[in-house]
Amino acid sequence: FFAAASNLAMALEHGERANDVRVETLGDLKAVKTAKGASNRAVRAAIAMSRPDTEKLRRDVWIFMMLDQRWYLAPLGVE
């Protein structure tokens, strides 16, 4: 899974949209906290991305979730 997260970041930086975005940092992957404690089915990572046409960094939080024993980039509002 950790390789998949890195691969996604690399695809953004070096794939088809490489001219649109550059991944500056991929933060540590951390378990998502829930009311019942940390989840082993979801993790979050803070990333910083920049676009060539601006000097400002965009900071996002990515949440990955496990469904049917596979990891996916989760939609916003994941629980």
Side-chain angles (χ1 to χ4, degrees):
F1 159 72
F2 296 103
S6 295
N7 286 345
L8 178 57
M10 293 296 283
L12 283 173
E13 188 168 355
H14 301 291
E16 293 177 10
R17 303 198 60 194
N19 292 332
D20 296 340
V21 65
R22 173 177 167 77
V23 176
E24 300 288 339
T25 59
L26 175 61
D28 293 336
L29 298 165
K30 298 179 181 174
V32 172
K33 298 216 177 191
T34 67
K36 298 178 184 178
S39 170
N40 63 355
R41 297 181 58 82
V43 295
R44 64 187 292 277
I47 65 161
M49 295 184 291
S50 63
R51 292 177 43 152
D53 58 347
T54 179
E55 292 184 15
K56 291 198 291 189
L57 283 180
R58 173 183 167 153
R59 299 194 192 289
D60 284 342
V61 173
W62 288 356
I63 296 182
F64 297 89
M65 186 166 194
M66 181 182 279
L67 296 171
D68 299 325
Q69 298 182 348
R70 297 184 77 173
W71 287 98
Y72 296 93
L73 184 59
L76 292 176
V78 67
E79 293 182 6

